[in-house]
Amino acid sequence: MTLGLPRLPSSVPAYRVPWRIQRAERAHPVVVNRGEEPVDFVRVFHDVPGAGIVTDLWGQVLPAERLELCLCSADLDDVVVTLAWFRPDDGLEYVWRFVV
């Protein structure tokens, strides 16, 4: 039974998540695009107690670009940050999560 999803040829290499997180300051992690291509329509989500989900819209992030998150109002022991983006090559949305 198929779910209607396209099947990729097995010769297609896996897509390496482009993000690297620098955690020198826990409440202000720096997200770096370590990939070789820009990523589009980047959105960042995290939960703030009492306020709900906070969303940052970053738009296009170029290779080697560094963006700092402010998690000052988040519970750093429980915060999970979600990044969502599109690759220009395939138009698919990708999602990746990390903890500080």
Side-chain angles (χ1 to χ4, degrees), residues 18-71:
W19 309 113
R20 296 294 178 265
I21 309 304
Q22 297 175 342
R23 295 176 172 89
E25 200 174 323
R26 194 164 178 227
H28 293 271
V30 175
V31 179
V32 182
N33 179 358
R34 296 284 304 263
E36 296 179 3
E37 63 187 9
V39 291
D40 292 329
F41 306 109
V42 178
R43 293 158 337 275
V44 182
F45 310 92
H46 66 279
D47 193 20
V48 173
I53 302 293
V54 173
T55 304
D56 293 319
L57 304 174
W58 286 353
Q60 186 178 64
V61 179
L62 301 174
E65 190 169 355
R66 307 159 55 90
L67 297 159
E68 181 178 319
L69 283 172
C70 180
L71 302 175

